[in-house]
Amino acid sequence: MGVLTARQEKLLALFKIAVESEKEAQNNYSAMLPFSDDPAIKRIIEGFISEEKRHEEKLLKIYNDLRTIGEFKDAT
């Protein structure tokens, strides 16, 4: 992969921020678990954690593909 344009660099940076946000959301939801005694609420929170993990995995895959393969359709 050659030199990235400013737009490509910004896109990668935003994907990285999105991945970090998903991790932070997982941590926040995990911190909630010990404070609920209701099994239904715990299942809901655990579902949120799982969903955030799936988001993180998808975003990370795209980020890595863009970074390593250089799949930028709008490259100039």
Side-chain angles (χ1 to χ4, degrees):
M1 180 169 74
V3 177
L4 299 179
T5 67
R7 288 185 65 185
Q8 292 167 334
E9 287 180 6
K10 182 65 176 179
L11 180 61
L12 279 177
L14 290 170
F15 264 98
K16 187 174 182 180
I17 289 168
V19 169
E20 292 167 358
S21 295
E22 297 296 335
K23 288 180 184 180
E24 184 178 349
Q26 292 169 47
N27 291 336
N28 290 337
Y29 289 132
S30 293
M32 292 177 187
L33 285 172
F35 296 100
S36 177
D37 296 325
D38 184 331
I41 301 267
K42 284 187 179 260
R43 281 193 302 277
I44 291 168
I45 294 169
E46 289 165 348
F48 290 160
I49 294 168
S50 294
E51 181 124 354
E52 299 302 334
K53 284 180 182 177
R54 282 192 299 278
H55 294 166
E56 177 191 358
E57 289 168 2
K58 288 178 183 178
L59 287 165
L60 192 55
K61 181 181 180 339
I62 294 168
Y63 172 82
N64 285 328
D65 287 349
L66 290 173
R67 192 172 57 82
T68 59
I69 299 170
E71 288 290 325
F72 289 96
K73 293 187 175 38
D74 68 338
T76 55

